[in-house]
Amino acid sequence: MGLFDKLQPIPARIAAIGDGPVPFDTMIEEILSPTEVVIDGRRTLMCGSNNYFGLSFHPDVLAAARDAISHDGAGTTGSRAANGTLAAHRDLEDAFATAFSLPHAMVFSTGFQANLAMLAGLCGPSDAIIVDLESHASIYDGAKLSGAQLFQFRHNNPADLAKKLERQPDGTNCLVVVEGLYSISGDLAPLSEIASVCRDAGAMLLVDEAHSFGVYGARGLGYAEESGVLDQVDFIVGTFSKALAGIGGFCVSRHPELKYLHFAARPYVFTASGSPATIAGVREALRLLLRDNVALKARLWDNVQRVRAGLSAAGFTIGSTESPIVPVVVGSPDRAIGMWRALLEAGLYANIVLPPACRADACLLRTSYSAAHSHDEIDRAVSVFTHVGRALGIIDAAP
Ligand code: PMP
């Protein structure tokens, strides 16, 4: 089999869905605001971004990024372990450590690389990594890169995790990896049960708070804070590309060994560090997010409740957990693609989830909301969904 043979099914699959916009290949022509973009010449409501607080256009974030680019230039042109550690990177690490009241923090070039670096930096062939079945690709790839044995436990099932851990000869060689808020289903992890199972087995626990940082917890530190288990988690990982509206990732920990990864984790050592503008923008976004967390979360949850009530009342099957991620279950891939295209045509962007990321009879539109959406925009989203859902027979016609 030649190198290209495995790519040949892709054009055939694209051709099979007929003329029209192609899922996973949308081009945004202009970003008008955190909640509106232009796609195919049309003003489009953004219901598929992870910009949970709309900070991507905050004037203070933009000013910080502009100052940094003028002062330190466009890029660092080097890795953190070479010439790419600026005072701003260290300052951002200190800010994360202070926010979590933990002694150690590391900043990575992307959230994906944070997981690659953590899993492959901590674990090797004599270790075991046990992950929730619905874990993000970066967690699976980090496990592969580490060479550790990989085991999965049933989604959000601490009893199954306990079983998998019991089979391990030595719990202290095991790293358990879960997410605070799962990115597709919008489910929250039962973190206190998971932490207690890990403690009983002597295993370490890493929680990826990519989608939950900022959104949960009294101070906005994530779902481990909200669950009261911050002191029982060994490593908290997060990304800058969602609530912090930038690009990069972080890890905080009470373990001093975290700082040794600066010398040992290949996805950190052998890649360029975050640009001055990125790091400065994220530093400002973090300051705003921590300072205004209560007000930002209040606006976000108000929008989440409003959209969930509207979509449910219209008859849609939506995810059961109240979170900024609201999956709308549509059915077969054909129905999902038809609905996704009709929504775009009607001026609404949502993300589409198709097999193998879901069951073939439970394809979905993954919608996500922001504190920056106005009530009018939320109502428009519900109305567009309702109109399109009725026209395509996904929900019943009006009584
Ligand atoms: N972890 C999770 C759970 C994610 O959902 C994502 C991105 N969607 C990442 C890690 C990777 O983050 P980034 O896009 O910042 O690289």
Side-chain angles (χ1 to χ4, degrees), residues 8 14 16-17 27 54 107 115 153 170 187 237 284 312 314 321 391:
Q8 294 318 319
I14 294 172
I17 62 173
M27 185 181 76
V107 157
N115 279 334
F153 67 95
D170 179 3
D187 289 346
V237 167
E284 185 57 24
S312 298
T321 306

Side-chain angles (χ1 to χ4, degrees), residues 171 233 240 287 297 326:
V233 176
F240 302 162
R287 194 183 68 76
K297 273 189 314 211
V326 183

Side-chain angles (χ1 to χ4, degrees), residues 172-194:
T172 62
N173 276 75
C174 298
L175 179 70
V176 172
V177 185
V178 299
E179 296 175 30
L181 170 63
Y182 283 86
S183 55
I184 292 181
S185 60
D187 289 346
L188 291 159
L191 285 184
S192 56
E193 288 95 321
I194 286 172

Side-chain angles (χ1 to χ4, degrees), residues 84-128:
T85 293
L86 309 185
H89 296 89
R90 285 276 167 78
D91 175 58
L92 185 57
E93 287 170 341
D94 291 346
F96 275 106
T98 304
F100 280 88
S101 306
L102 285 167
H104 307 290
M106 261 176 100
V107 157
F108 302 86
S109 302
T110 69
F112 200 106
Q113 281 168 304
N115 279 334
L116 294 184
M118 289 306 301
L119 270 61
L122 289 171
C123 303
S126 55
D127 303 314

Side-chain angles (χ1 to χ4, degrees), residues 318-373:
I318 62 172
S320 53
T321 306
E322 197 170 271
S323 87
I325 300 167
V326 183
V328 180
V329 182
V330 172
S332 68
D334 284 353
R335 269 159 80 94
I337 292 168
M339 175 109 182
W340 179 77
R341 284 177 166 170
L343 289 170
L344 257 187
E345 178 85 11
L348 185 148
Y349 180 86
N351 287 304
I352 184 167
V353 180
L354 298 171
C358 61
R359 283 200 336 252
D361 62 345
C363 297
L364 50 91
L365 295 163
R366 177 207 183 264
T367 67
S368 44
Y369 300 90
S370 166
H373 282 110

